[in-house]
Amino acid sequence: MMRFRYQSHCYLPLRREAIAGIFVLLFPVFLPCLFTPFGHASPSTFSEWNVPKPRHLPLLRSALQRESSNGEQSDLWTPLADQGWRPCLASVNAPSALPQKSEGYLQVFLDGGLNQQRMGICDAVAVAKILNATLVIPHLEVNPVWQDSSSFMDIFDADHFINVLKDDISIVKELPDEFSWSTREYYATAIRATRIKRAPVHASANWYLENVLPVLRSNGIAAISPFSHRLSFDNLPSEIQQLRCKVNFKALVFVPHIRALGDALVHRLRYPPGESEALSANYLGETTDQNDKQRPLKFVVLHLRFDKDMAAHSACDFGGGKAEKLALAKYRQTIWGGRVLNSQFTDEELRSQGRCPLTPEEIGLLLAALGFDNSTRLYLASHKVYGGESRISTLRGLFPLMEDKKSLASSEERVHIKGKASLLAAVDYYVAMHSDIFVSASPGNMHNALVGHRSFENRKTIRPNMALLGPLFLNKNITWLEFRQAVAEGHQNRQGQLRLRKPKQSLYTYPAPDCMCQA
């Protein structure tokens, strides 16, 4: 027996076989009614999209009828074999005497979402090391899409950050009083001698020595804004590269309440509460003797990057009808002035090239074809899915044991992260790092960050083959057997096998060989 979640948080006892049968029979007709989003308006209240119909109904019917096996015995769950590489940060872990005199204070102003800011923080530490500067805890800008004003110290453990890096650079939480005038508002009102505004994208170490070091020496302070992606991935000393990895993989840990909530979610995924157990408000005291005797279950984290920003920028058609097409075109015009390269191509051209993000339906079909069945425990990591629950419901039909922050944690537990996109993303990142398998529906900053972090720790990560899947989903005559075979063959070497970084590629996505050594 299993719990079937319904609109009002009630639970109806249904067998998995019955659920699959219900979906096969009623899916096309009652899709909007089966899964009304918890606490949200129904799809009919939204004007910019219609309830999307399944776009791959024959495949979906076959996937819903797939037989349930003891999924955790599948080779899919086998951990990655030793690939002969180890984290290699020894040269920056050894204590080294810092220069007695700093050249001055370095400020950076970081835009983007959580993971873009995370990479910017790593680069800021590296630039401070290059310049022999004292780094001020980076300032995080309010993202225009996510509208989150969380600071560095709201997200990351600043004391841990400073302590781990104390032998590498000097870091302060705040500027001394003599420089208290150097604020974000100060630089927004006029041209300032201490602001470096035109740092090139992927600038070299020499660029900083030639252009920023003189400002530091003249003024005692330099502020770089904008800063994201302002340090090269190539032609840097090995100790600088390894320092960037040390920041990313060792120094940046989330604040205690994020880690505690993340631990609670992981615990509930591995040891699901019984039918009669309510969610506990005390997520630090949940482990019981019974849990200790219970065999921990395996789970997959799926990062479903399907927000409005992503959908609009892709310029693809997602089946929401004319209203959705017009809404996304208007959004492209508002945010990017219509300057989106993909918009000059047809939907079929984009899909044939694998340039369209996977919808919840498509990522569900991919997972089913790979061998995950309806007993798979799936944790959904996402912000706001464009199209709401009516789009997610297709995925939920394929994986009835799908959970997320809202279903696993009580409102009391979520009070400190509610409405804060960066903290919500931090919880998802934490859970993803503790999962047996991580899958990202589409490339992006969170995908890149987690692929790199899990590679560093040799954890299994499935990377969808977009170039393969686009043409497969365009083929309306493909059978389920043909689809499964093509997917299996196309993903044999995309399950976490280590890939060495190539020139211009991100160190944070490909930490080998810069930050790893062959055993």
Side-chain angles (χ1 to χ4, degrees):
M1 300 288 285
M2 64 165 287
R3 295 176 299 158
F4 180 66
R5 185 156 313 189
Y6 191 61
Q7 177 178 349
S8 60
H9 287 191
C10 304
Y11 295 96
L12 301 178
L14 290 177
R15 295 188 180 276
R16 294 191 183 97
E17 296 85 352
I19 292 175
I22 290 173
F23 268 84
V24 172
L25 294 173
L26 303 181
F27 204 95
V29 180
F30 294 111
L31 173 63
C33 305
L34 285 173
F35 298 101
T36 304
F38 311 145
H40 293 280
S42 65
S44 60
T45 64
F46 292 86
S47 59
E48 65 180 62
W49 52 272
N50 300 317
V51 176
K53 298 178 181 178
R55 307 193 80 188
H56 313 287
L57 193 54
L59 291 178
L60 187 58
R61 284 173 173 153
S62 297
L64 287 165
Q65 291 176 315
R66 70 197 189 282
E67 292 184 5
S68 176
S69 60
N70 189 355
E72 290 196 10
Q73 301 303 315
S74 165
D75 289 342
L76 279 170
W77 297 101
T78 303
L80 283 175
D82 189 331
Q83 301 185 65
W85 289 82
R86 299 286 185 276
C88 191
L89 304 178
S91 64
V92 291
N93 282 333
S96 58
L98 292 173
Q100 289 186 351
K101 189 175 186 303
S102 165
E103 297 288 357
Y105 293 95
L106 178 68
Q107 286 181 292
V108 295
F109 299 89
L110 300 174
D111 54 12
L114 173 69
N115 293 292
Q116 186 174 337
Q117 290 171 338
R118 182 189 187 100
M119 296 169 196
I121 293 165
C122 300
D123 287 349
V125 171
V127 170
K129 181 71 172 179
I130 291 167
L131 298 173
N132 181 30
T134 297
L135 179 67
V136 183
I137 289 287
H139 174 88
L140 308 185
E141 302 275 24
V142 178
N143 186 279
V145 175
W146 309 125
Q147 292 294 315
D148 188 349
S149 59
S150 298
S151 69
F152 180 103
M153 287 185 278
D154 291 329
I155 304 169
F156 299 107
D157 187 327
D159 291 330
H160 177 87
F161 179 74
I162 293 170
N163 184 58
V164 169
L165 299 172
K166 68 180 184 298
D167 295 320
D168 299 293
I169 67 166
S170 296
I171 304 173
V172 295
K173 293 181 180 180
E174 296 178 349
L175 285 167
D177 291 342
E178 62 185 295
F179 292 112
S180 60
W181 48 263
S182 185
T183 63
R184 185 68 185 86
E185 292 72 26
Y186 173 76
Y187 293 110
T189 55
I191 297 173
R192 307 295 186 182
T194 51
R195 178 186 176 187
I196 290 83
K197 187 177 181 180
R198 303 191 184 280
V201 173
H202 303 311
S204 68
N206 282 338
W207 187 91
Y208 283 97
L209 292 170
E210 294 170 3
N211 294 274
V212 182
L213 188 55
V215 176
L216 277 173
R217 286 174 171 170
S218 298
N219 301 279
I221 189 168
I224 309 176
S225 176
F227 184 74
S228 296
H229 310 299
R230 282 342 196 244
L231 182 63
S232 172
F233 288 116
D234 302 313
N235 302 316
L236 288 173
S238 60
E239 60 267 23
I240 295 298
Q241 298 288 63
Q242 291 191 11
L243 178 58
R244 294 163 96 174
C245 289
K246 182 179 180 180
V247 181
N248 196 29
F249 304 131
K250 303 296 182 185
L252 283 176
V253 301
F254 298 120
V255 291
H257 78 85
I258 293 291
R259 303 199 305 269
L261 179 54
D263 285 335
L265 300 186
V266 171
H267 186 268
R268 289 167 189 166
L269 287 161
R270 296 214 180 277
Y271 303 96
E275 295 283 339
S276 60
E277 293 180 65
L279 292 177
S280 167
N282 176 18
Y283 48 76
L284 294 177
E286 287 194 331
T287 304
T288 65
D289 293 338
Q290 182 178 359
N291 287 152
D292 291 337
K293 296 174 183 178
Q294 182 182 345
R295 180 176 66 89
L297 301 178
K298 294 180 171 66
F299 69 95
V300 181
V301 166
L302 168 63
H303 179 230
L304 186 57
R305 189 178 180 224
F306 200 77
D307 51 70
K308 187 173 183 178
D309 198 64
M310 178 73 164
H313 197 270
S314 72
C316 298
D317 178 13
F318 299 108
K322 185 177 179 181
E324 180 180 86
K325 288 182 181 179
L326 291 173
L328 293 180
K330 181 180 179 181
Y331 188 83
R332 282 194 293 275
Q333 187 64 40
T334 302
I335 303 296
W336 302 291
R339 297 183 298 276
V340 175
L341 182 63
N342 282 358
S343 58
Q344 63 184 298
F345 300 102
T346 66
D347 179 72
E348 186 169 339
E349 288 171 333
L350 293 171
R351 291 187 181 279
S352 65
Q353 298 169 27
R355 293 165 67 179
C356 291
L358 298 176
T359 64
E361 176 189 3
E362 289 167 346
I363 195 68
L365 290 170
L366 167 64
L367 294 174
L370 286 170
F372 295 106
D373 60 30
N374 60 11
S375 68
T376 299
R377 297 193 64 77
L378 194 67
Y379 176 87
L380 186 62
S382 65
H383 185 53
K384 292 182 179 178
V385 174
Y386 185 62
E389 184 68 17
S390 64
R391 272 211 169 95
I392 301 175
S393 58
T394 316
L395 177 64
R396 199 182 300 280
L398 290 165
F399 297 97
L401 301 184
M402 188 169 76
E403 305 280 7
D404 56 24
K405 293 179 289 294
K406 192 168 185 178
S407 66
L408 284 174
S410 66
S411 57
E412 291 83 1
E413 291 171 313
R414 292 181 282 109
V415 68
H416 296 299
I417 64 172
K418 184 177 181 181
K420 298 178 180 178
S422 293
L423 299 185
L424 292 165
V427 172
D428 285 340
Y429 189 104
Y430 187 91
V431 175
M433 279 305 300
H434 288 77
S435 66
D436 298 281
I437 300 172
F438 172 71
V439 185
S440 183
S442 300
N445 287 320
M446 185 157 179
H447 164 96
N448 295 339
L450 279 162
V451 164
H453 204 156
R454 290 178 68 90
S455 293
F456 191 75
E457 298 189 3
N458 199 44
R459 295 173 182 265
K460 181 167 281 191
T461 304
I462 297 176
R463 296 180 298 109
N465 188 336
M466 306 295 282
L468 167 73
L469 293 170
L472 286 181
F473 284 125
L474 280 174
N475 182 357
K476 299 304 179 184
N477 296 316
I478 193 169
T479 66
W480 177 243
L481 180 60
E482 292 169 336
F483 181 75
R484 282 185 59 191
Q485 289 175 338
V487 165
E489 291 172 4
H491 289 82
Q492 283 182 347
N493 298 312
R494 302 179 68 88
Q495 299 189 26
Q497 290 80 0
L498 197 68
R499 295 188 297 166
L500 302 185
R501 189 179 73 84
K502 298 177 182 178
K504 297 185 179 180
Q505 286 186 327
S506 171
L507 180 79
Y508 308 118
T509 308
Y510 307 101
D514 303 80
C515 303
M516 302 182 75
C517 303
Q518 287 185 289

